[in-house]
Amino acid sequence: MPADAPAAKKAGSDRTPEVLVQLAKVNKSFGAQHVLRDVDLAVRTGEVVVLLGASGSGKSTLCRCINRLETISSGRITIDGCELPAEGRALARLRAQVGMVFQSFNLFGHKTVLENLTLAPMKVNGVTQSQAIERAHHLLARVGLADKVGAYPAELSGGQQQRVAIARALAMDPGVILFDEPTSALDPEMVKEVLDVMAELAAEGMTMLVVTHEMGFARRAAERVVFLDQGQVLESGTPEDFFTNPRTDRARDFLSKILRH
């Protein structure tokens, strides 16, 4: 069992969930800049892991490496036991298992909300148009945007766009969703509507790896907090342990700054 993955169990089950995402000795450099340093991380099925750390600590790069938007310099990443392929259809199929929600939404501006949700399931997963449309309507209702199917992204608020982005990720029926600072581009009043959707997904058992500075979300929704500093995992534990009894000076310094208000 990986040392950084506690044996979390689903309620009513005696079975320890399997590791879905595994990083082993992962390094990533951009030229002379060593961004990730021997990162070991395991995320189990149904687990919600929040990545915390100062800007530049490697959190977003780690997310981008998991679905191969960035290529690692060394180490190994597996999704559901399969190593990330280098390219081609095999990579596309594996990426379909890994949803990603970006801080800048990344919706297709020239396509309607409905078209944003149906394009990838039809092109990558091969579902029929009618199936994709039915699924899209269901997901939009789930994120509170059933009346926005015909709207274009520019007609939506930032919070609405991010909820569409979450629905789009769910449309691929992924095994895990990566959230890369999903609320950082939002006005404060829009943050709650996005975090509420994410908290609902967490409560429903979605496997999630979340990069965020929203400490309230980390406290209430995470099963584990992983603290990165200068590309290294310094701490990994429950939110209660991390927030009340951080083990390293660097984590204590980080918390003193981010929680002081």
Side-chain angles (χ1 to χ4, degrees), residues 41-149:
L41 178 66
V43 181
R44 297 186 179 279
T45 302
E47 189 178 20
V48 179
V49 176
V50 169
L51 295 178
L52 298 180
S55 296
S57 59
K59 307 182 301 298
S60 293
T61 299
L62 189 151
C63 269
R64 292 175 66 84
C65 286
I66 290 175
N67 70 349
R68 215 177 183 283
L69 289 174
E70 298 287 354
T71 304
I72 62 176
S73 302
S74 65
R76 189 167 184 260
I77 299 177
T78 58
I79 309 294
D80 200 16
C82 299
E83 193 159 0
L84 292 181
E87 58 186 13
R89 292 182 178 178
L91 178 59
R93 285 195 296 271
L94 199 60
R95 272 188 179 152
Q97 299 180 43
V98 184
M100 189 156 185
V101 177
F102 301 86
Q103 58 182 297
S104 55
F105 321 136
N106 285 23
L107 299 174
F108 294 113
H110 64 292
K111 294 184 180 296
T112 66
V113 166
L114 183 63
E115 290 168 338
N116 267 278
L117 265 67
T118 57
L119 179 63
M122 290 190 295
K123 293 288 187 181
V124 178
N125 288 352
V127 305
T128 66
Q129 184 179 39
S130 61
Q131 289 173 325
I133 290 174
E134 181 180 2
R135 173 78 167 153
H137 279 283
H138 168 74
L139 290 172
L140 288 171
R142 184 176 178 181
V143 299
L145 295 171
D147 59 336
K148 300 296 184 181
V149 290

Side-chain angles (χ1 to χ4, degrees), residues 185-203:
L186 300 180
D187 292 333
E189 65 268 21
M190 298 176 185
V191 169
K192 183 179 183 299
E193 64 190 59
V194 173
L195 292 180
D196 284 348
V197 170
M198 293 170 60
E200 288 173 10
L201 292 176

Side-chain angles (χ1 to χ4, degrees), residues 213-232:
H213 289 295
E214 298 293 338
M215 297 300 108
F217 176 84
R219 283 180 180 273
R220 79 176 192 267
E223 293 175 66
R224 185 155 47 102
V225 169
V226 174
F227 178 69
L228 271 71
D229 184 57
Q230 296 184 346
Q232 295 178 299

